[in-house]
Amino acid sequence: MTSRFTPQWVLVQWKVQKGSNLPKNQTNTPHMKVYSINYTLKAPGRNYAPLLNAIRSLFPDHIHPLDSCWFVYTSVTAMQIKDLLTPHMDVNDVILVLVAKGPGAAQLLDSTSVNWLNSKLPID
């Protein structure tokens, strides 16, 4: 049987706990936001490894629910995210970074991603 998720993303208080994977320069403050990072790599061969490794190392609190889409929880801005990631891309690759907010909907999204989004996205 195929599972279908249409989550209503709700705000759940999230606290930094001992051993949290947030970088030392980030704290759980009102300035923390969820950003959606989306990209299209256009270079021949499309070497995703440098970009994927950069996202994983720079933003340890993340999910990767779709092939070219990540969500990260961070205190840096969208422009800073773009500036941090573009050195790991070719000059003709495309990147889009947006603040993510709920509510939202998804179909066939894995439960780990749904739970992560539910725990971090505010509803405005």
Side-chain angles (χ1 to χ4, degrees):
M1 182 173 170
T2 304
S3 173
R4 290 182 182 220
F5 295 96
T6 305
Q8 290 298 313
W9 296 342
V10 296
L11 177 64
V12 174
Q13 186 174 359
W14 185 74
K15 298 177 182 177
V16 176
Q17 299 178 6
K18 188 175 183 178
S20 168
N21 61 356
L22 285 175
K24 291 179 182 174
N25 64 344
Q26 294 185 23
T27 58
N28 187 24
T29 69
H31 303 290
M32 298 285 289
K33 293 181 182 173
V34 175
Y35 290 90
S36 173
I37 301 171
N38 304 276
Y39 49 84
T40 301
L41 304 187
K42 299 198 176 224
R46 296 183 181 125
N47 185 3
Y48 286 87
L51 177 60
L52 303 184
N53 290 335
I55 294 171
R56 285 184 189 104
S57 65
L58 292 167
F59 308 103
D61 195 356
H62 67 264
I63 56 168
H64 185 202
L66 304 171
D67 288 344
S68 294
C69 174
W70 294 67
F71 289 94
V72 298
Y73 189 63
T74 184
S75 61
V76 301
T77 67
M79 183 64 78
Q80 289 169 323
I81 293 170
K82 190 265 310 168
D83 290 344
L84 288 165
L85 296 178
T86 52
H88 306 281
M89 303 171 71
D90 289 332
V91 294
N92 62 341
D93 292 338
V94 180
I95 187 167
L96 172 66
V97 180
L98 300 168
V99 173
K101 296 181 181 180
Q107 179 173 312
L108 301 176
L109 194 63
D110 65 277
S111 61
T112 300
S113 295
V114 170
N115 292 337
W116 190 95
L117 291 165
N118 280 334
S119 73
K120 298 207 176 8
L121 283 183
I123 296 177
D124 286 343

